[in-house]
Amino acid sequence: SNQATTMPSKEFWNHTSDPATCATCDKKLCAKEEVIVPLVSAFLVRIVSENDQRMANGLEDTVITSYHASVNPDIDLNDYIERIHSFSGASPCTYLVSMIYLDRALRKIPGFLVSSFTVHRLFLTCIMLASKFLDDVYFSNLHWSRVGGLKLKELNALEIETLFVLNFNMTVSPLEYSQYRTALLSCSVNGSLPDPLVPFREKQEDPSHLQLCAGIAA
């Protein structure tokens, strides 16, 4: 269904006693990747801000998808990602992998913008899928729905839809991971958007403009 839906009110986000944290990976191995979480958050905040401004200036989504909310969720994006980080138990590396899934999804949905209307649902679904694929221990969809503020039925539907959008391709090679990591770090340092991160900001109608990066097939 392409029907846009709402998300919970501010009172919901202030409730943090239900979800509980858990360790899902070897913290020694993942410790160096903790830096990825705030970088992903900052990057998404920046892209959403830029796209919201473009929409305010007249640029419109050409599609309405299941990722669209009818109103902006009543929670700051940084706080939303921090909530996921605090209560999902997802390992740090899943945050970068979720960005790779996001990028792959954007390449399959022409005209889609990552905006304040779409980012929460899309990111939640991608980080949940990344955790299921990478982490030895992960929470149920019910827990993820409580953390992310969606009804279980909605999250289940988004999960299936995203898997089909991604053609069930969940594998990320070490080279691909490294290249996205380098691009994200570069973006945080110099403020540019090098490949493979450009599609987050700009709608590209020509598939030839959507290559991941040199040496990797789309």
Side-chain angles (χ1 to χ4, degrees), residues 156-191:
N156 288 343
L158 285 170
E159 179 182 29
I160 295 300
E161 181 171 346
T162 304
L163 285 169
F164 275 99
V165 168
L166 296 174
N167 199 28
F168 291 84
N169 177 21
M170 313 306 292
T171 303
V172 175
S173 70
L175 175 60
E176 188 177 11
Y177 182 96
S178 175
Q179 289 176 319
Y180 271 81
R181 188 180 192 277
T182 299
L184 187 63
L185 289 169
S186 174
C187 177
S188 71
V189 170
N190 60 35

Side-chain angles (χ1 to χ4, degrees), residues 108-174:
K108 298 294 182 66
I109 312 176
F112 185 92
L113 284 176
V114 179
S115 70
S116 56
F117 288 93
T118 60
V119 65
H120 299 78
R121 295 163 69 86
L122 182 57
F123 179 73
L124 176 67
T125 308
C126 288
I127 188 71
M128 181 182 74
L129 288 172
S131 180
K132 286 185 174 184
F133 187 75
L134 292 175
D135 293 334
D136 293 332
V137 179
Y138 54 84
F139 280 118
S140 67
N141 282 25
L142 177 60
H143 181 89
W144 278 97
S145 70
R146 290 172 175 171
V147 171
L150 289 180
K151 294 179 180 178
L152 176 59
K153 183 178 180 180
E154 288 182 301
L155 184 58
N156 288 343
L158 285 170
E159 179 182 29
I160 295 300
E161 181 171 346
T162 304
L163 285 169
F164 275 99
V165 168
L166 296 174
N167 199 28
F168 291 84
N169 177 21
M170 313 306 292
T171 303
V172 175
S173 70

